[in-house]
C-alpha cells in the first residue's frame, strides 16, 4: 500500500513515511493510492472479535510495511484494557428504535480523539525507526480542545519525541484547558494563542512547510510531524470503529449482515466523517453520511451549495471542538471525488488561502451529495436536545453529540429515511459539565466552580464521573504561556529550548 499527495499525485511513499512526515512537502495531505475491499463475509467474520483484533484486521490492509509483530505491538498497546473504561473500547448503545449512539469517549482523556491518539504514538515510533532513525520527532499540534489533551497523553514521555500543543485562549472549555495545562511528562509543552482554532491551525501548517525553520530543526537532528488529523496515522485508526460498530449492530440484532445503515457525525475538521467515507468505499454498507455542524456551519453550507466560504463570523459555542472554519480533511474528500485531480485540489486550496473561499463544479458537488447530507444546530437546540434526551430516554449526551442528535432528527423529519443509524458521540458530558448541567436544569444552574458543576451533574443525573476528569481536581497547572498567532514560530523554538 502506497500513499500519494492530494496536491501532487506523482509522489509515492510508504505508510511509515506518510506517518513520520505528517504532511507532504508541498502542503498536500497523504492519501492511500487505492483502498482495500472488505466483503460482507469478511466483515461478518469480525463480529466475534475483540476491538483489538478488529483493529488489526482493518489496519494491516493499510500498514503493509509494518510486520505482524509491529502491528500487534502498536494495536495491543493502544487499546489495552486498563486505558479504557469500557471492555468494548467503543461501545454502541441503542437509545430508541433505530437510533444508536457510538460512544467514542471511554479512553484516558474522555474524548473520541483517544481512539486515534492512543495508537498514533506507537505508529509514529515504529515509522520513525523505519524512516528517520536517530532523529527527534517534534509533534506540532493545533487544537480546538480535545486533540491537544489526547495527543499530550498519547505522546507523554515517548522516546525520541517532543510534543508542542497550541490552543485558542478563549476557545476551549475550562475542563479541556485544565486537562492540557496540568499535563505530565518531560517532553510536553502547551501554549495558548490569542486567536481561534483556525488561526492556530493555519500557523501550524505554515510552520510545517517553512524551509528555514525545518533547516534549523535539522541542524539539531529534529524533524516535524503532526498529531492532527492531517496526519494519515491519526485518520486511519478512525476507520476501524465504523467497522466495529457495524459488527456490534449485527450482534445486537439491530441489523442483518449486509443491511445498510446511516452514520451521523458531529464534525469541524471533517476527519471523523471522512473515516466513515473511507469505510463506505471499502465495502461497509453505509447509505448516507450526515455531517452535523454547530453555528459555525461552513461545512453544511458547502455540502448544500458547493461553495466553501470561510469569510464569515466565527462563533464561540458550547461545542468548541467544532468551532472551526477551515476543515482540513475536506481536501482529501475533494481529491478522491474529483477523480484524483491533484491540479484542481492545489488550485482550490490556493483559492482558500488567498480568497478564503472556492466553488466546485456542479458535477463534483452532485457526486458528493449522493453520499453526504448535512445540517446544523443552533445553541438553543443543543440545550433542548440534551434535556429532552435525558428526560425521555435517560441518556445524557455532551454538547457535540447533541448537535449530531438534533441534525439526525431533522434529517429523518425531512427525508423519512429512518433506517438503522449510528450517531457518533465524541465526548463525555463531564468535559462540558457547565453547559450540560445548564441544559438539564433548563437554565436554572446555580453559581458553581468547574468541579462543583461536575458534582452537581453527577447528583442530578446519576451518571458516573469518568476517573480521568475527577482526578484533575488536585493537579498543579504547569503551563501558562500565551502568544500571538504571528509569534508561534518563535514560541516553538522557545518551548524546544533552542
Amino acid at each position: 500500500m502506497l500513499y500519494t499527495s492530494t496536491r501532487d499525485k506523482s509522489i509515492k511513499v510508504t505508510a511509515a513515511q506518510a506517518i513520520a512526515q505528517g504532511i507532504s512537502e508541498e502542503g498536500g495531505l497523504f492519501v492511500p493510492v487505492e483502498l482495500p475491499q472488505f466483503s460482507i463475509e469478511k466483515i461478518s467474520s469480525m463480529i466475534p472479535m475483540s476491538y483489538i483484533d478488529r483493529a488489526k484486521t482493518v489496519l494491516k490492509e493499510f500498514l503493509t510495511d509494518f510486520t505482524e509483530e509491529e502491528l500487534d505491538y502498536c494495536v495491543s498497546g493502544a487499546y489495552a484494557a486498563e486505558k479504557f473504561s469500557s471492555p468494548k473500547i467503543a461501545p454502541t448503545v441503542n437509545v430508541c428504535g433505530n437510533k444508536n449512539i457510538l460512544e467514542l469517549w471511554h479512553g484516558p482523556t474522555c474524548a473520541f480523539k483517544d481512539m486515534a491518539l492512543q495508537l498514533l504514538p506507537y505508529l509514529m515510533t515504529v515509522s520513525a525507526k523505519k524512516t528517520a532513525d536517530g532523529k527527534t520527532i517534534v509533534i506540532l499540534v493545533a487544537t480546538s480542545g480535545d486533540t491537544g489533551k489526547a495527543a499530550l497523553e498519547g505522546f507523554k514521555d515517548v522516546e525520541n519525541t517532543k510534543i508542542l500543543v497550541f490552543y485558542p485562549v478563549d476557545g476551549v472549555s475550562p475542563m479541556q484547558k485544565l486537562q492540557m495545562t496540568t499535563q505530565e511528562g518531560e517532553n510536553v509543552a502547551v501554549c495558548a494563542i490569542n486567536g481561534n482554532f483556525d488561526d492556530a491551525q493555519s500557523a501550524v501548517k505554515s510552520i510545517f512547510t517553512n524551509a528555514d525553520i525545518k533547516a534549523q530543526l535539522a541542524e539539531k537532528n529534529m524533524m516535524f510531524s503532526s498529531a492532527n488529523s492531517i496526519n494519515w496515522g491519526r485518520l486511519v485508526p478512525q476507520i476501524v470503529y465504523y467497522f466495529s460498530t457495524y459488527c456490534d449492530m449485527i450482534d445486537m440484532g439491530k441489523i442483518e449482515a449486509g443491511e445498510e445503515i446511516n452514520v451521523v457525525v458531529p464534525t469541524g475538521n471533517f476527519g471523523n466523517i471522512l473515516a466513515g467515507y473511507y469505510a463506505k468505499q471499502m465495502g461497509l454498507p453505509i447509505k448516507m453520511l450526515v455531517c452535523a455542524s454547530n453555528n459555525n456551519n461552513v461545512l453544511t453550507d458547502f455540502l448544500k451549495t458547493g461553495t466553501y466560504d470561510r469569510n464569515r463570523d466565527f462563533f464561540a459555542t458550547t461545542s468548541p471542538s467544532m468551532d472551526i472554519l477551515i476543515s482540513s480533511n475536506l481536501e482529501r474528500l475533494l481529491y478522491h471525488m474529483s477523480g484524483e485531480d491533484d491540479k484542481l485540489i492545489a488550485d482550490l486550496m490556493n483559492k482558500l488561502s488567498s480568497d478564503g473561499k472556492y466553488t466546485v463544479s456542479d458535477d463534483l458537488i452532485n457526486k458528493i451529495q449522493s453520499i453526504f447530507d448535512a445540517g446544523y444546530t443552533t445553541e438553543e437546540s443543543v440545550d433542548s436536545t440534551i434535556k429532552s434526551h435525558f428526560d425521555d430516554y435517560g441518556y445524557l449526551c455532551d454538547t457535540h453529540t447533541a448537535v449530531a442528535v438534533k441534525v439526525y432528527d431533522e434529517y429523518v423529519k425531512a427525508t423519512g429515511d429512518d433506517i438503522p443509524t449510528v450517531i457518533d458521540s465524541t465526548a463525555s458530558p463531564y468535559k462540558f459539565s457547565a453547559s450540560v448541567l445548564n441544559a438539564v436544569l433548563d437554565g436554572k444552574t446555580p453559581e458553581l466552580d468547574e468541579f462543583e458543576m461536575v458534582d452537581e451533574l453527577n447528583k442530578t443525573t446519576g451518571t458516573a464521573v469518568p476517573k480521568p476528569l475527577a482526578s484533575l481536581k488536585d493537579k498543579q497547572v504547569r503551563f501558562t504561556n500565551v502568544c500571538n498567532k504571528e509569534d508561534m514560530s518563535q514560541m516553538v523554538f522557545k518551548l524546544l529550548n533552542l
Side-chain angles (χ1 to χ4, degrees):
M1 172 72 75
L2 292 175
Y3 294 81
T4 188
S5 168
T6 51
R7 302 185 199 180
D8 181 359
K9 65 182 180 185
S10 69
I11 290 169
K12 299 288 187 292
V13 300
T14 63
Q17 286 172 292
I19 291 167
Q21 195 173 321
I23 191 169
S24 189
E25 291 287 345
E26 80 298 338
L29 306 185
F30 288 117
V31 291
V33 170
E34 58 186 347
L35 287 172
Q37 296 300 302
F38 278 56
S39 65
I40 295 302
E41 291 71 28
K42 185 167 183 175
I43 295 167
S44 298
S45 74
M46 296 164 65
I47 296 169
M49 293 182 187
S50 66
Y51 192 88
I52 285 175
D53 287 334
R54 289 172 180 174
K56 285 194 279 193
T57 302
V58 173
L59 293 173
K60 71 181 179 185
E61 303 290 340
F62 288 99
L63 308 175
T64 53
D65 52 336
F66 282 54
T67 66
E68 195 174 328
E69 293 74 23
E70 286 169 339
L71 185 61
D72 182 64
Y73 159 76
C74 293
V75 176
S76 298
Y79 302 120
E82 65 271 14
K83 293 182 177 182
F84 287 80
S85 61
S86 168
K88 281 191 164 287
I89 309 300
T92 303
V93 178
N94 178 253
V95 175
C96 62
N98 281 335
K99 184 187 287 186
N100 303 275
I101 290 189
L102 172 59
E103 294 183 344
L104 298 170
W105 44 262
H106 288 277
T109 77
C110 307
F112 83 101
K113 305 294 174 74
D114 288 324
M115 300 302 299
L117 283 165
Q118 282 300 301
L119 181 58
L120 181 60
Y122 289 93
L123 298 180
M124 187 76 76
T125 303
V126 172
S127 297
K129 282 180 181 167
K130 292 176 183 292
T131 64
D133 203 17
K135 286 189 177 176
T136 296
I137 294 184
V138 178
I139 310 294
L140 201 55
V141 178
T143 185
S144 55
D146 288 332
T147 291
K149 172 59 180 177
L152 289 162
E153 190 64 28
F155 280 96
K156 173 182 71 179
D157 293 327
V158 170
E159 194 177 2
N160 295 325
T161 66
K162 293 183 182 291
I163 177 162
L164 314 180
V165 170
F166 292 90
Y167 70 92
V169 66
D170 295 318
V172 299
S173 79
M175 189 67 82
Q176 288 174 314
K177 181 177 179 180
L178 201 56
Q179 282 187 299
M180 289 186 281
T181 56
T182 60
Q183 178 65 48
E184 298 164 348
E186 293 304 308
N187 65 334
V188 308
V190 177
C191 181
I193 74 151
N194 293 311
N196 60 39
F197 168 75
D198 292 317
D199 295 325
Q201 180 170 251
S202 296
V204 162
K205 284 183 177 176
S206 174
I207 292 167
F208 260 119
T209 52
N210 185 303
D212 290 340
I213 294 174
K214 289 196 291 186
Q216 289 180 67
L217 279 192
E219 287 175 14
K220 304 292 183 182
N221 206 29
M222 293 178 171
M223 63 177 280
F224 280 132
S225 193
S226 170
N228 285 90
S229 55
I230 56 175
N231 190 319
W232 177 251
R234 237 299 295 281
L235 192 56
V236 71
Q238 296 179 257
I239 298 171
V240 174
Y241 50 68
Y242 290 105
F243 282 91
S244 185
T245 192
Y246 189 85
C247 290
D248 286 346
M249 291 271 283
I250 297 171
D251 201 37
M252 292 159 64
K254 297 299 174 187
I255 55 171
E256 299 289 331
E259 190 177 345
E260 286 189 322
I261 63 170
N262 287 331
V263 172
V264 186
V265 186
T267 187
N269 219 7
F270 208 73
N272 202 3
I273 197 166
L274 182 68
Y277 164 81
Y278 281 126
K280 175 179 170 67
Q281 298 306 108
M282 290 164 64
L284 195 68
I286 294 173
K287 180 184 174 188
M288 291 296 290
L289 291 149
V290 182
C291 176
S293 302
N294 61 19
N295 278 339
N296 295 295
N297 58 337
V298 65
L299 280 169
T300 301
D301 284 351
F302 170 73
L303 291 168
K304 296 289 188 188
T305 69
T307 294
Y308 192 100
D309 187 355
R310 66 174 173 85
N311 302 311
R312 60 179 67 212
D313 291 336
F314 177 89
F315 300 103
T317 73
T318 56
S319 45
S321 297
M322 298 159 66
D323 291 347
I324 295 171
L325 294 180
I326 303 174
S327 305
S328 293
N329 277 290
L330 188 58
E331 178 173 342
R332 284 183 165 114
L333 179 74
L334 293 170
Y335 174 79
H336 293 299
M337 298 207 75
S338 67
E340 302 173 354
D341 189 341
D342 54 347
K343 301 293 183 289
L344 171 68
I345 303 310
D347 180 54
L348 293 176
M349 294 307 117
N350 284 335
K351 284 179 180 170
L352 183 63
S353 179
S354 61
D355 305 335
K357 65 179 182 178
Y358 59 79
T359 299
V360 302
S361 68
D362 289 346
D363 182 52
L364 180 50
I365 194 60
N366 288 338
K367 276 187 194 171
I368 292 170
Q369 287 170 347
S370 71
I371 297 175
F372 288 86
D373 206 304
Y376 78 99
T377 305
T378 64
E379 288 290 86
E380 296 76 23
S381 294
V382 170
D383 287 351
S384 61
T385 301
I386 291 171
K387 180 167 174 55
S388 64
H389 255 242
F390 183 71
D391 290 347
D392 295 346
Y393 310 116
Y395 190 89
L396 188 67
C397 57
D398 88 296
T399 47
H400 304 74
T401 307
V403 168
V405 169
K406 179 64 175 175
V407 167
Y408 167 69
D409 289 344
E410 293 296 322
Y411 169 80
V412 172
K413 201 181 295 181
T415 64
D417 183 16
D418 64 348
I419 67 171
T421 297
V422 170
I423 301 169
D424 283 11
S425 179
T426 54
S428 163
Y430 285 95
K431 287 197 82 165
F432 308 93
S433 50
S435 299
V436 174
L437 182 62
N438 185 63
V440 171
L441 296 179
D442 213 8
K444 303 177 180 70
T445 313
E447 287 291 322
L448 301 169
D449 71 22
E450 185 69 14
F451 287 99
E452 288 170 337
M453 291 275 191
V454 168
D455 293 340
E456 189 66 25
L457 186 59
N458 169 249
K459 193 167 74 177
T460 302
T461 64
T463 54
V465 182
K467 286 179 184 173
L469 299 182
S471 68
L472 283 174
K473 192 171 184 178
D474 303 315
K475 277 198 171 180
Q476 186 74 31
V477 170
R478 292 183 64 200
F479 302 105
T480 57
N481 292 310
V482 183
C483 74
N484 294 323
K485 60 185 178 183
E486 299 83 8
D487 302 325
M488 277 175 59
S489 55
Q490 294 96 302
M491 182 57 74
V492 166
F493 287 109
K494 180 181 174 184
L495 295 176
L496 291 172
N497 298 313
L498 296 180

